[in-house]
Amino acid sequence: MSMGIFDGKRYFVYGDGASGRAACRALRKNGGKAKIYTDECGAFAEPQKANYDGAVISPGIRPTHAVYDYCARNGIETLSEAELGFMLAKTPIVGVTGTNGKTTVTRLIADMTGAVACGNIGYPVSAAAAKNVPLVCELSSFQLYNSEHIAPRVAVITNIASDHIDWHGSEAEYFRCKCNIARQAKVLVLGENIPLRALDTLNTDADVLRCSTERHVDGAYIDKGYFWFCGRRVCPVDYYRLQGKHNLENALCSVAAASVMGADNRKILAALASATLSPHRVAPVGSFGGKRWIDDSKGTNIAATLAAVNVTDGRVCLITGGRDKGLDFDTLFAALDERVENVIAMGESAQSIRDSGAKYGRAITVVNGLSDAVTAAAEIECDAVLLSPACASFDEFDNYAERGEAFSSAVRALYSDRKHKK
């Protein structure tokens, strides 16, 4: 008796994280055989047999990893866990990507449509596909590196700015992976102000809907205090809880995609009215020492950091730095608001940040790590201290969430100690 679409096929799964384990379960549940392999002592662990029909490679594994060469030499088809989920899904899928905003948009669309949010948001696509309900799938550029089977009904590109150059090798390759989301989509929603050069590799037959905060477009836009979609008034803008122009752009992408999926205005309004920011995204830590402390540890690229600065009131002390992803910090300082009177640079990228800041006449305080950055910021006169690193966390922490928690803890501990010493 047939069990599924992978009957009798043999796969190896490279990577034993959440997505790798989910892929293994999905393959076995649908008739296939699967075995997990991981690096041993930092080196490629070659599968014991080469007679595999395919390989599912975890999204954190770079294209230069030896596993890709091994598969090419042995004629083994490579898939991502997200592709596996798309192959198994029997319901409509909205795919969401972008340099920033994709988690917010994914959650909003899910709330507006009643779909299940999955993918890069933390719930593997192959696991969500088994629920047999509509899906809203957040997709990173890593997940879109392999994209032959990524075929959403609606694809959303919130925005594109330079990011993850260390992983992809070039800005152009990063852009190509982002654009892969639209190759087999029926409808493509494009966020506002995506640079044309970022869309050079866009190849799609999808119907294109655009978004604008300033003018009428064929898609979602704002006019006279309302969100509109294709000439139809949806709901008042002032019901939306999230602040900043970038969040208005996120709302427009969500309104467009949800409308295509058949969501009614009441559900769209309810989702906008109850929207909350993701953890570690411009999150208040508290007021200590006469200044506000703000955790934007999720700001791991320059565009995200600039957006965080724009929604932070008053004179700002900005804490940046971490694992350099190959970004050009000159673009940060070229656009940085004059309200940012002090910049503290930490971690592996601190010297690069200092050198870029010097070109724009900014004195940068260089420290070793996050704890030292908090101590230095406490001595600076400002209205707000904003942790928005524009870098990955992996030089000091396992992920941005751990970095954000460490920031909050360090701030509270510093002022607790000072209080007790008085």
Side-chain angles (χ1 to χ4, degrees), residues 319-323 344-350 353 388-392 395 403:
I319 299 176
T320 60
R323 172 68 51 84
I344 297 172
M346 62 183 180
E348 290 180 3
S349 60
I353 293 170
S388 190
C391 294
D395 60 336
R403 176 171 60 188

Side-chain angles (χ1 to χ4, degrees), residues 239-262:
Y239 276 75
Y240 185 42
R241 295 182 58 185
L242 304 186
Q243 301 299 307
K245 184 174 184 289
H246 64 293
N247 275 316
L248 288 176
E249 294 168 0
N250 291 338
L252 288 168
C253 288
S254 306
V255 167
S259 296
V260 171
M261 294 294 286

Side-chain angles (χ1 to χ4, degrees), residues 37-290:
Y37 289 88
T38 62
D39 282 1
E40 295 178 359
C41 301
F44 173 51
E46 185 171 308
Q48 296 169 357
K49 297 180 180 179
N51 59 334
Y52 284 101
D53 298 292
V56 179
I57 302 176
S58 294
I61 295 175
R62 300 185 182 211
T64 54
H65 192 283
V67 68
Y68 281 102
D69 179 64
Y70 171 82
C71 290
R73 285 188 285 106
N74 289 284
I76 298 171
E77 179 190 19
T78 61
L79 299 170
S80 67
E81 183 275 330
E83 283 187 286
L84 187 63
F86 272 81
M87 294 168 70
L88 293 171
K90 297 179 175 63
T91 56
I93 300 178
V94 179
V96 180
T97 198
T99 303
N100 296 301
K102 53 187 177 291
T103 299
T104 298
V105 171
T106 297
R107 286 178 169 162
L108 281 172
I109 297 170
D111 289 344
M112 291 171 178
T113 61
V116 171
C118 63
N120 194 56
I121 204 167
Y123 184 25
V125 188
S126 57
K131 300 291 185 182
N132 203 30
V133 294
L135 305 178
V136 185
C137 182
E138 178 185 323
L139 294 165
S140 69
S141 59
F142 307 156
Q143 290 168 307
L144 290 166
Y145 175 73
N146 280 335
S147 62
E148 183 178 343
H149 300 284
I150 301 291
R153 178 179 172 188
V154 182
V156 181
I157 302 177
T158 61
N159 49 61
I160 305 180
S162 187
D163 200 5
H164 298 299
I165 308 306
D166 60 329
W167 199 93
H168 290 285
S170 69
E171 183 180 72
E173 175 62 11
Y174 170 71
F175 292 165
R176 182 194 70 80
C177 290
K178 286 296 188 187
C179 289
N180 275 346
I181 196 172
R183 285 178 58 194
Q184 299 181 75
K186 302 296 183 185
V187 178
L188 170 62
V189 175
L190 287 177
E192 189 171 35
N193 298 324
I194 298 177
L196 288 177
R197 64 190 176 88
L199 300 175
D200 279 347
T201 61
L202 185 64
N203 179 20
T204 183
D205 293 324
D207 295 328
V208 178
L209 297 172
R210 298 186 178 274
C211 299
S212 177
T213 57
E214 299 174 350
R215 60 189 178 88
H216 289 212
V217 293
D218 186 11
Y221 54 92
I222 294 173
D223 184 40
K224 298 177 181 177
Y226 282 83
F227 290 112
W228 295 72
F229 177 71
C230 291
R232 174 175 60 82
R233 194 168 71 176
V234 178
C235 65
V237 172
D238 61 10
Y239 276 75
Y240 185 42
R241 295 182 58 185
L242 304 186
Q243 301 299 307
K245 184 174 184 289
H246 64 293
N247 275 316
L248 288 176
E249 294 168 0
N250 291 338
L252 288 168
C253 288
S254 306
V255 167
S259 296
V260 171
M261 294 294 286
D264 64 38
N265 287 2
R266 290 175 300 170
K267 290 183 178 179
I268 292 174
L269 186 150
L272 293 171
S274 61
T276 57
L277 287 170
S278 302
H280 310 292
R281 174 63 86 196
V282 201
V285 173
S287 293
F288 303 95

Side-chain angles (χ1 to χ4, degrees), residues 322-323 325 348 391-400 403:
R323 172 68 51 84
K325 297 191 286 183
E348 290 180 3
C391 294
S393 60
F394 306 128
D395 60 336
E396 191 174 355
F397 303 99
D398 287 340
N399 51 57
Y400 73 81
R403 176 171 60 188

